[in-house]
Every structure is written in structure tokens, then in C-alpha cells.
Amino acid sequence: MKGTEHFTRTIAEYLNQRAMTDPLFAPNLQKPNKSIEECITYILSEVQKSGCNGFDDDEIYSMAVHYYDEDEIEVGKTNDCQVMVNHVVELTEEEKAEARKQAIAQYQREELAKIQSRNARPQKKETAEVTQPSLFDI
């Protein structure tokens, strides 16, 4: 099974945070025979086995920790599925400032392109009026 990039990133961030705060778990995360991809496959196969559609964050995180704690664990088969991560992304002040800066730069590029396209339009050429003599002028 392959989870979404967001799901994988969420699990990896949790595990890294846990390793920083739990010195007993940190060596488990570094095991050479373990990978985040297999961890995700394990979680998704356990979810599928349960038959449930919704899980609490702690339940999913505990499955991830269990995968890294156990040396002899059956990962399961890979199947196609869809994963929904129901989290709000909170940005740091630096990330907010960077996003604002990028948005302003993009807006400026768009406005410049509008001005350039307006100026690039072909201007109507003034044609010299050709006067045609009338019958009364002769």
C-alpha cells in the first residue's frame, strides 16, 4: 500500500519528534531493516484488516511505533487505497513571512505580464486619408 505524501510526512514527523523526546525509542527508529515506506504499508494493512474507516491519531501513531519496536513483524501486502489526513498545517512565523513574500512576487509578475501584454497589442495605424475628387470639383 502506498500512502499519500502528506500521510507519510505526518507519520515521519511524529516518529522523529518521538525519537527526540524518548531516548528508548530513538535507536528503534535507526534500525537498518526498517523504513518509513514499510511502516506506512504496515499501518495501512492493519487499518484494512480492522475494517474500520476512521482512526484516532494516537491509534495510527501507536501502529507506527509498534512497527519500529518489533523486529519480527509482518508488514503485509501492498494494495491500492486512499488515505485522508485530517490535519491543519500550522506555519511558523518565518514560513508565513516566506509565503507572503512569494505571494507578493507572484502578484507582481502577474501584473507585469498584464501590462506587457497590454503594451504589446498592435496599435491601430493612422492611415492617411485619401481624398477622392468629387464630380463637382472638376
Side-chain angles (χ1 to χ4, degrees):
M1 281 175 223
K2 183 176 180 183
T4 62
E5 182 180 323
H6 184 62
F7 180 68
T8 303
R9 188 174 54 244
T10 301
I11 298 298
E13 287 173 4
Y14 171 80
L15 292 170
N16 289 329
Q17 192 72 4
R18 171 100 182 231
M20 286 191 288
T21 59
D22 184 355
L24 296 175
F25 177 70
N28 292 346
L29 194 59
Q30 302 303 320
K31 290 180 180 178
N33 61 333
K34 301 289 183 171
S35 70
I36 191 66
E37 291 81 16
E38 277 192 357
C39 178
I40 299 303
T41 301
Y42 171 74
I43 292 169
L44 296 177
S45 64
E46 290 298 306
V47 167
Q48 190 175 33
K49 284 181 201 174
S50 74
C52 295
N53 289 329
F55 287 85
D56 186 57
D57 290 350
D58 291 335
E59 291 175 291
I60 298 298
Y61 293 145
S62 68
M63 288 181 206
V65 170
H66 180 70
Y67 165 79
Y68 280 97
D69 284 343
E70 298 297 322
D71 289 328
E72 302 296 322
I73 195 164
E74 187 177 326
V75 174
K77 297 179 182 179
T78 60
N79 293 322
D80 287 332
C81 67
Q82 293 184 1
V83 177
M84 176 188 253
V85 179
N86 198 11
H87 284 253
V88 176
V89 177
E90 293 185 27
L91 300 175
T92 63
E93 291 303 318
E94 294 84 24
E95 291 171 328
K96 288 178 185 178
E98 181 63 28
R100 179 172 163 61
K101 185 175 150 184
Q102 289 176 357
I104 290 171
Q106 180 181 353
Y107 176 75
Q108 288 173 338
R109 285 190 303 271
E110 290 171 358
E111 290 301 311
L112 180 61
K114 285 180 189 177
I115 291 170
Q116 289 173 342
S117 69
R118 199 175 328 139
N119 291 342
R121 290 185 195 150
Q123 300 294 328
K124 292 184 180 179
K125 294 181 181 177
E126 293 184 26
T127 57
E129 277 190 39
V130 177
T131 55
Q132 192 169 15
S134 75
L135 290 174
F136 300 109
D137 291 338
I138 302 183

